[in-house]
Amino acid sequence: MYAANHWGGSFEIQVEAEDENSPDLDLDRAALPRQQLDDAQQGWLLEPCGESKKTNNYIDLGCIVCKRKLFNWVLLSSLIACVVTAIPIFVVKMIPKHKELVLLPDEYTEALHKALKFFNAQKSGHLPRSNGIPWRGDCGVNNIQQLPDVKAGLVGGYYDSGKNIKFHFPMAFSMTLLSWSVIEYGHKYDAIGEHDHIRDIIKWGTDYLLRTFNSSASTIDKIYIQVGVAKKDSTTPDDGYCWQRPENINYPQPILSAPSAPDLSSEVASALASASIVFRDDTSYSKKLVEAAETAYQFATKSKEQTPYSFRNELIEPFYNSTGYWDEFIWGAAWLFYATGNYSYLSLATENKLLEKAEGFSNLSSDSSVFSWDNKLPGAELLLARLRIFLNPGYPYEEMLRIYHNATNRNMCSYLRQFNVFNWTRGGLIQLNHGGPRPLQYAAKAAFLASLYADYMNASNIPGWYCGPEYFDSDTLRKFAVSQVNYILGSNPMNMSYVVGHGHNYPRHVHHRGASIPNDGNSYSCTGGWKWRDRKSMNPNTITGAMVAGPDRSDQFFDIRNSENYTEPTLAGNAGLVAALISLTSSGGSSGSDGGIDRNTIFSSMRPFYSNSPPPPFIWKP
């Protein structure tokens, strides 16, 4: 930009005038009289020409005379320099340009590969040959009654945990969470070679959820909510009393249905709607998912006065008791808006009364920020804040979207240790369930939300957010997410990886029927399996990738099969872990300025907010 000489001195080349009497002056020596030559010059000019041996040591290049050895050395050096320079250029030209740099997998990617295998181990139905779990086989096929409104019966889906029960409520939530992670980080799944696998996992779940109600109809009057039961203190064969591999079940597994299930139906709608975005490249399947999602959501919201699907049901309440359904209404409306582009769903999701019913205004307790299979509000708030961050639609949605955005900021503040909203263990695990059992599933989901929100801020060039008067950058959330995931993977006082198969020290006595009974060709009876349940030796089958329930509030963990509050894995827990891991891994690279997320895929069904052109101005006349 400015003229300057970076090497010092003037820009002008100074040449001193040569003295006319200088002996170095270039003169025509032949024209000089002999008497004017000094002795040295005479000796040079009158040198005998008979000494050819000394003359042959020099080469006359016209403008310069140099020694032959020096000339040969310079020539050889130049030749070698050309060859050395040409070889790298040739090698670079020969390398195919279409190959991209492959990043070595980090620890999060290694754990992610394993965590996804857990879903293969939980599959029910006719398992594909590519399932990859040698100790699992077809199950839940012959002993499930045929239902008049379900063509193939409720075959398929996933067992939730170490029990042989299919709980549809957490199953649907798990599929929604996995779909969300693919929508945001699909390029990472693709880069690490897991994109097809995660899609297969989601489709196995959504195919089953389509069977839980008449998904081809426009209206329905019931939905199936669970397959299998475990009665408290039961002394008769059921999924709690018996200890059998799912392949050997020979006791009744009742199928439960409900004429009203607003929370479950809304979650099923969320799962199908979010998956429709994942499978947008399969037009017919995506359309089928969207239509079924709208049917399920209509059933969920058809009546103003409803009761949660688990209300006073002793077969559900001890396991997956729903405390409300208004949060699922917002969650489902948000996903249906993104899946369909229908603004009536956005209007519903941003309805003031809906958030009031979900206690989004009045409930300022710490529990409101805990994202789980029961409380979808923190996830829904972040999902709707996304719309404001990237598209900022303005009126008439701005006021409610701003409330959701502020609520998200408040939720993130509650995760920071210095504010003491939640207790923390000495080892560094946040106690989102107030020191209760099974804490890891909550920590993993909080890590996902924090990491995802940090990516939203980075992608929109927002450096951070406020917690009251204090300002924090987005990296603060990343550090929180990393601390919780690292704790799960082994950075804890027990030096225990709580993901089976990851690291060297992990649980070997997982509370899981299929993993604890050998696949030796024997069919153990309901009570015959008790000997495997009560054995002190490690499981004969490794359920790779299962995240167990976790330690207690003192960071203590007991690897005991009968202690399910320590060693039992769950579907929703692993879904949260997968989402957190894919958000943190760097093995798949990132999308640069987008902060690692896919900004636009989720918006692909949306029409412009102001699609109608404004009316022409009135003709003005003086």
Side-chain angles (χ1 to χ4, degrees), residues 102-103 109 113 185-195 587-589:
V102 178
L103 297 174
T109 300
H113 289 313
Y185 300 107
H187 61 284
K188 288 189 177 184
Y189 280 113
D190 188 54
I192 65 176
E194 290 286 5
H195 197 258
S587 298

Coordinates of all heavy atoms in Angstrom, one line a residue, residues 102-103 109 113 185-195 587-589:
V102 N -7.7 -37.1 5.4 CA -8.5 -37.9 6.4 C -7.9 -37.7 7.8 O -6.8 -37.9 8.0 CB -8.4 -39.4 6.0 CG1 -9.1 -40.2 7.0 CG2 -8.9 -39.7 4.6
L103 N -8.8 -37.2 8.6 CA -8.4 -36.9 10.0 C -8.4 -38.2 10.8 O -9.3 -39.0 10.7 CB -9.3 -35.8 10.6 CG -9.3 -34.5 10.0 CD1 -10.4 -33.6 10.6 CD2 -8.0 -33.8 10.1
T109 N -14.9 -39.9 18.7 CA -15.3 -40.8 17.6 C -15.2 -42.2 17.9 O -16.1 -43.0 17.6 CB -14.5 -40.5 16.3 OG1 -14.6 -39.1 16.0 CG2 -14.9 -41.3 15.2
H113 N -18.5 -44.8 17.8 CA -18.7 -46.0 17.1 C -19.2 -47.1 18.0 O -20.1 -47.9 17.5 CB -17.3 -46.5 16.5 CG -16.7 -45.7 15.4 ND1 -17.5 -45.3 14.3 CD2 -15.5 -45.1 15.2 CE1 -16.8 -44.6 13.5 NE2 -15.5 -44.5 14.0
Y185 N -25.6 -32.5 12.4 CA -24.2 -33.0 12.2 C -24.1 -34.1 11.2 O -23.2 -35.0 11.4 CB -23.6 -33.4 13.6 CG -23.6 -32.4 14.6 CD1 -24.4 -32.4 15.7 CD2 -22.7 -31.3 14.5 CE1 -24.4 -31.4 16.7 CE2 -22.6 -30.3 15.5 CZ -23.5 -30.4 16.6 OH -23.5 -29.4 17.5
G186 N -25.0 -34.1 10.2 CA -25.0 -35.2 9.2 C -23.6 -35.3 8.5 O -23.2 -36.4 8.2
H187 N -22.9 -34.2 8.3 CA -21.6 -34.2 7.6 C -20.6 -34.9 8.5 O -19.7 -35.6 7.9 CB -21.2 -32.8 7.3 CG -21.0 -31.9 8.5 ND1 -22.1 -31.4 9.1 CD2 -19.9 -31.5 9.1 CE1 -21.6 -30.6 10.1 NE2 -20.3 -30.7 10.1
K188 N -20.7 -34.8 9.8 CA -19.8 -35.6 10.7 C -20.0 -37.1 10.6 O -19.1 -37.9 10.6 CB -19.9 -35.0 12.1 CG -19.3 -33.6 12.3 CD -19.3 -33.3 13.8 CE -18.6 -32.0 14.1 NZ -18.5 -31.7 15.5
Y189 N -21.3 -37.5 10.7 CA -21.6 -38.9 10.6 C -21.1 -39.5 9.3 O -20.6 -40.6 9.2 CB -23.1 -39.1 10.7 CG -23.7 -39.1 12.0 CD1 -24.6 -38.0 12.4 CD2 -23.5 -40.1 13.0 CE1 -25.2 -38.0 13.7 CE2 -24.0 -40.1 14.2 CZ -24.9 -39.0 14.6 OH -25.4 -39.0 15.9
D190 N -21.2 -38.7 8.2 CA -20.8 -39.1 6.9 C -19.2 -39.3 6.9 O -18.7 -40.3 6.4 CB -21.2 -38.2 5.8 CG -21.0 -38.7 4.4 OD1 -21.4 -39.8 4.1 OD2 -20.3 -38.0 3.7
A191 N -18.5 -38.3 7.5 CA -17.1 -38.3 7.5 C -16.5 -39.5 8.3 O -15.4 -40.0 7.9 CB -16.5 -37.0 8.0
I192 N -17.2 -39.9 9.3 CA -16.6 -41.0 10.1 C -17.2 -42.3 9.7 O -17.0 -43.3 10.4 CB -16.8 -40.7 11.6 CG1 -18.3 -40.7 12.0 CG2 -16.2 -39.4 12.1 CD1 -18.6 -40.6 13.5
G193 N -18.0 -42.4 8.7 CA -18.5 -43.6 8.2 C -19.7 -44.2 8.9 O -19.9 -45.4 8.8
E194 N -20.4 -43.4 9.6 CA -21.6 -43.9 10.4 C -22.9 -43.3 9.9 O -23.9 -43.6 10.5 CB -21.4 -43.5 11.9 CG -20.3 -44.2 12.6 CD -20.6 -45.7 12.9 OE1 -21.7 -46.1 12.5 OE2 -19.8 -46.3 13.6
H195 N -22.9 -42.6 8.8 CA -24.2 -42.0 8.3 C -25.2 -43.1 8.0 O -26.4 -42.9 8.4 CB -23.9 -41.1 7.1 CG -25.0 -40.2 6.8 ND1 -25.9 -40.4 5.8 CD2 -25.4 -39.0 7.4 CE1 -26.8 -39.4 5.8 NE2 -26.5 -38.5 6.8
S587 N -13.2 -35.4 14.4 CA -12.8 -36.3 13.4 C -13.5 -36.1 12.1 O -12.9 -36.3 11.0 CB -13.0 -37.8 13.8 OG -12.2 -38.1 15.0
G588 N -14.7 -35.7 12.1 CA -15.5 -35.4 10.9 C -15.3 -34.0 10.4 O -16.0 -33.6 9.5
G589 N -14.4 -33.2 11.0 CA -14.2 -31.9 10.6 C -15.4 -31.0 11.0 O -16.2 -31.4 11.8

